Amino acid sequence: MPQIKIAPSILSANKKALNEEIRRIESYADIIHVDVMDGKFVEPITFPIEDVRKLKTRLPLEAHLMVDEPENKWIEDYIDSGCSSIIIHQEATKNIDDAIALIKKKGAKAAISIKPATSLKTILQYLKKLDMVLIMSVNPGYAGQRFMPEIIQKIKELRKIDNNIDIGVDGGMNVDTVKEVVMAGANVVVAASTIFNAKDSVKAIMELRRVLMECVNKIKV
């Protein structure tokens, strides 16, 4: 299984002090996850390009584009603003091949995300072109939702198909649910409220890391 990675989502961070929030936790994380929403594909509107340009971190920035037709300007804008990885939604475009090609042409990593109700079969044809599959364990749009355990089977199936690709899980991640997803085969954990709503965000990440590594050791045995 690929390396375990923690990707704090700044969706739950203090919007008035994003760089301070990032600076506090970046030594304990692997990726900074930016949830971009257009008010169409999902209801909220978050992290316009102007806000992303202001972000400062030494970690890779990952833009999760929960937007309609991401190939229409979104991909280029967010890569040009410093994002080295782009996640598009299978449900948001009819031109997945074109979107992936554009991401790769711009020199970024490409990933596809699927909603809890979307079949894994809808993205299998693209696997060889992808760096990661992000499986949503909640319906996209808001932080703090409850984890949907039915996505565990998707993780297991995908890991059997491809033992090298990064498999991320986004939604409802905490010290209990991360055990389930990692034991199923996921290696990238996106967490928002569990980290940024905690009294101590650093301790929250460290506890997640501890639990994740315990799971990895069990898998190795």
Side-chain angles (χ1 to χ4, degrees), residues 69-211:
E69 299 180 347
E71 66 275 14
N72 290 343
K73 196 67 175 158
W74 294 90
I75 289 171
E76 292 186 272
D77 280 352
Y78 280 84
I79 293 175
D80 289 345
S81 295
C83 295
S84 58
S85 180
I86 300 291
I87 305 166
I88 61 172
H89 265 267
Q90 182 274 345
E91 306 90 354
T93 178
K94 295 179 181 178
N95 301 302
I96 291 177
D97 280 314
D98 291 346
I100 294 173
L102 178 58
I103 295 169
K104 294 291 188 178
K105 182 180 178 181
K106 295 285 290 182
K109 292 183 177 180
I112 286 181
S113 184
I114 54 175
K115 295 179 181 180
T118 301
S119 170
L120 191 60
K121 294 178 181 179
T122 61
I123 62 167
L124 294 182
Q125 61 184 305
Y126 308 110
L127 286 186
K128 291 183 179 179
K129 302 178 181 180
L130 298 174
D131 297 285
M132 181 178 74
V133 172
L134 182 67
I135 297 176
M136 297 298 297
S137 48
V138 299
N139 287 311
Y142 296 94
Q145 297 182 65
R146 294 183 66 181
F147 174 77
M148 297 182 181
E150 54 266 34
I151 62 97
I152 292 295
Q153 189 57 36
K154 284 183 185 176
I155 300 171
K156 291 179 178 178
E157 290 177 10
L158 182 54
R159 184 54 74 202
K160 286 181 180 178
I161 294 169
D162 193 326
N163 196 43
N164 296 311
I165 194 169
D166 280 338
I167 300 176
V169 181
D170 185 355
M173 291 289 94
N174 56 48
V175 291
D176 294 317
T177 55
V178 294
K179 296 177 185 177
E180 297 183 63
V181 301
V182 172
M183 294 305 290
N187 68 295
V188 181
V189 171
V190 178
S193 55
T194 291
I195 294 172
F196 290 109
N197 288 353
K199 290 182 179 179
D200 188 324
S201 54
V202 170
K203 285 185 178 179
I205 294 181
M206 291 176 68
E207 181 63 9
L208 280 177
R209 179 86 63 187
R210 182 189 65 79
V211 172

Side-chain angles (χ1 to χ4, degrees), residues 3-12 22 25-26 28-35 59-64 85 87 132 134 166-173 178 187-196 201 204-205 208-209 212:
Q3 175 189 354
I4 291 289
K5 302 171 189 173
I6 297 178
S9 166
I10 57 174
L11 182 62
S12 294
I22 291 172
I25 56 93
E26 66 180 350
Y28 306 89
D30 302 288
I31 301 162
I32 298 298
H33 186 92
V34 183
D35 287 305
L59 293 178
L61 277 178
E62 175 178 84
H64 181 184
S85 180
I87 305 166
M132 181 178 74
L134 182 67
D166 280 338
I167 300 176
V169 181
D170 185 355
M173 291 289 94
V178 294
N187 68 295
V188 181
V189 171
V190 178
S193 55
T194 291
I195 294 172
F196 290 109
S201 54
I205 294 181
L208 280 177
R209 179 86 63 187
L212 290 169

